[in-house]
Amino acid sequence: MHMPLEDTLGLNLLAANQHQAEHNREHFDAWRLLCINLMSSPGAGKTSLLERSLAALATDLSMAVLEGDMTTQLDAERLEAVGVPVVPITTGRACHLDAAMVSGGLKLLRQQLDPACLDLLWVENVGNLVCPAEFEVGEHRKVALLSVTEGDDKPLKYPVMFREADCVLITKTDLLPYLPVEVERIEAHIRAVNPRCTVIRVSASTGEGLEAWHSWVRQQLAQQIAQLTPAMVLA
Amino acid sequence: MHEVDMTKCLLLSMQDWRQQHGSVSPSVEVVHLQVGDFTCVEPAQLVTTWDVAIRGSWLEGARLSIEAIPLVGRCVCCSATYRPSAESAYRSPCCDHPMEEVVSGRELRIRSVDYTLTASVPAEKPAPVPS
Ligand SMILES: Nc1nc2c(ncn2[C@@H]2O[C@H](COP(=O)(O)OP(=O)(O)OP(=O)(O)O)[C@@H](O)[C@H]2O)c(=O)[nH]1
Ligand SMILES: [Mg+2]
Ligand SMILES: [Zn+2]
């Protein structure tokens, strides 16, 4: 006997990934660290920025990096040269990191060190303006990078990532004199899709804006630690 | 390309749902999704990857039905709802305000499942009780 039935699920399509992401975040909270997910199109300057930021922040913060790279370990090698623990996560053909891959990265990280001694965990996502925005990995903050060479229309063409970002970095500002692009227009288009995010102009080459960027990071870390409850830390 | 991973997540959720039915295996006819326009998902691609992924599985033959949900914003100046577009930088036509509040368009939801239960035969024999 067949009876047509209907179940209402009302479940997020990515529920499986979200569960794993929440699980990752519980670990981060228990370790009292801030996890930042860096996202951008290929070559916008994520690794270059990290090289500068790791060097500058290492004076008083303890950090590690989970490095998402499709097939190579090139970025991981660049960052290891700065003297910070790096775990490469080769994603194969996947065009983004997902929560399960980051969980695998955390297992490897724990073989190297006790994450409870970290203040900051950086995740460099795969270079891609589209899907990393939909796949949470358990991060506390999302940071999107957009280089001035990409043109001022990108926030309008790929709005989801810029909408989701807590902070957008306009990178490679040292190149502005050579480009027919107005940084004000880039910024206006970012604010059009996300009026509330922090926008900072930076150059990993000249160091412009890095101080503002680093103070944003420190501020987020302080906020994150302040809102932890004893239950989260003991989890 | 990320539709493949989305489909994997969807299959995991469907697997969880199936387990709620215990030993009786539901035969799924339609899975109804709601996909917002302001997401990274291309509905046509999702259907293609779904059709490939379910081949030979317990979901073989199940159809994916996708309801596209339009992007709707609410102007924070005057509370009017509007359809933001890239051409007008997502700003409200009434007050020329940036897109602050999104009412709909971010959905990625499994809304419901149409299925039948074959009540007569249990799908699996109950496991023998160890003595
Ligand atoms: N002029 C200039 N070039 C930069 C800057 N930052 C990065 N670059 C250059 O841009 C290129 C890409 O930089 P990466 O740091 O590798 O970019 P990425 O985002 O990590 O790239 P993927 O991980 O491959 O997506 C390199 O040639 C860098 O030297 C900058 O601030 N100014
Ligand atoms: Mg890189
Ligand atoms: Zn209005």
Side-chain angles (χ1 to χ4, degrees):
Chain A
M1 195 196 70
H2 294 278
M3 242 197 351
L5 296 164
E6 187 190 336
D7 271 11
T8 305
L9 273 70
L11 195 70
N12 192 296
L13 178 59
L14 297 177
N17 187 65
Q18 286 186 334
H19 287 156
Q20 181 64 56
E22 274 155 31
H23 186 75
N24 292 348
R25 193 174 296 123
E26 279 165 17
H27 278 301
F28 299 152
D29 291 344
W31 296 330
R32 300 172 60 86
L33 59 79
L34 177 78
C35 176
I36 298 181
N37 187 359
L38 292 178
M39 302 179 286
S40 78
S41 57
K46 299 180 292 298
T47 309
S48 304
L49 179 81
L50 268 180
E51 286 173 310
R52 297 289 299 246
S53 297
L54 293 176
L57 295 170
T59 49
D60 60 314
L61 295 180
S62 172
M63 295 172 286
V65 183
L66 300 183
E67 176 59 56
D69 209 332
M70 291 184 80
T71 47
T72 71
Q73 302 214 347
L74 296 173
D75 281 356
E77 283 162 16
R78 279 168 65 189
L79 294 176
E80 260 164 1
V82 188
V84 167
V86 181
V87 171
I89 305 176
T90 33
T91 57
R93 272 184 302 167
C95 43
H96 57 266
L97 286 174
D98 66 24
M101 292 178 199
V102 164
S103 169
L106 290 176
K107 282 205 188 82
L108 295 175
L109 184 69
R110 291 168 85 169
Q111 291 170 7
Q112 290 185 32
L113 53 85
D114 176 8
C117 69
L118 295 175
D119 302 298
L120 268 174
L121 178 67
W122 297 94
V123 175
E124 182 181 337
N125 219 307
V126 181
N128 182 339
L129 265 190
V130 183
C131 42
E134 300 286 15
F135 289 87
E136 271 185 67
V137 300
E139 70 277 39
H140 299 106
R141 299 289 187 280
K142 289 182 166 71
V143 175
L145 284 71
L146 177 65
S147 66
V148 295
T149 54
E150 291 172 77
D152 63 28
D153 56 345
K154 293 304 167 292
L156 302 180
K157 281 191 181 166
Y158 303 94
V160 177
M161 178 172 295
F162 296 101
R163 173 80 187 179
E164 293 292 306
D166 299 291
C167 174
V168 178
L169 300 175
I170 302 175
T171 63
K172 309 191 191 180
T173 53
D174 57 289
L175 298 177
L176 280 170
Y178 314 103
L179 298 168
V181 61
E182 284 170 45
V183 70
E184 290 77 16
R185 267 177 79 80
I186 302 178
E187 195 162 330
H189 287 163
I190 294 166
R191 295 209 183 277
V193 295
N194 188 349
R196 281 173 210 187
C197 69
T198 303
V199 181
I200 306 172
R201 303 173 189 181
V202 298
S203 163
S205 292
T206 64
E208 183 198 344
L210 291 183
E211 235 169 84
W213 156 237
H214 295 153
S215 58
W216 183 86
V217 170
R218 287 177 191 282
Q219 202 185 336
Q220 304 307 307
L221 173 60
Q223 275 179 19
Q224 174 58 22
I225 298 303
Q227 61 91 51
L228 288 174
T229 61
M232 290 155 98
V233 179
L234 293 174
Chain B
M1 200 155 78
H2 50 276
E3 278 80 4
V4 175
D5 295 294
M6 301 246 168
T7 305
K8 276 189 203 151
C9 276
L10 174 56
L11 292 180
L12 284 173
S13 299
M14 290 303 296
Q15 188 65 36
D16 285 349
W17 171 83
R18 179 202 195 186
Q19 270 156 14
Q20 292 167 12
H21 291 270
S23 61
V24 187
S25 187
S27 163
V28 175
E29 271 151 35
V30 190
V31 177
H32 296 274
L33 301 185
Q34 291 177 318
V35 173
D37 285 343
F38 201 73
T39 64
C40 303
V41 176
E42 191 56 60
Q45 279 209 32
L46 201 57
V47 170
T48 310
T49 51
W50 168 265
D51 288 344
V52 174
I54 61 172
R55 258 178 230 161
S57 82
W58 66 283
L59 282 163
E60 171 120 42
R63 193 166 60 81
L64 201 59
S65 147
I66 300 181
E67 180 193 353
I69 309 287
L71 173 60
V72 175
R74 192 193 324 272
C75 176
V76 291
C77 289
C78 70
S79 295
T81 54
Y82 69 104
R83 292 283 189 89
S85 74
E87 289 69 30
S88 49
Y90 301 91
R91 303 178 77 88
S92 68
C94 37
C95 310
D96 194 35
H97 205 272
M99 182 173 69
E100 224 160 301
E101 205 186 320
V102 169
V103 179
S104 76
R106 286 291 291 139
E107 295 79 2
L108 278 176
R109 190 182 297 137
I110 311 172
R111 187 171 62 80
S112 61
V113 181
D114 295 348
Y115 65 104
T116 54
L117 283 181
T118 313
S120 50
V121 258
E124 283 156 47
K125 277 188 200 162
V129 183
S131 49

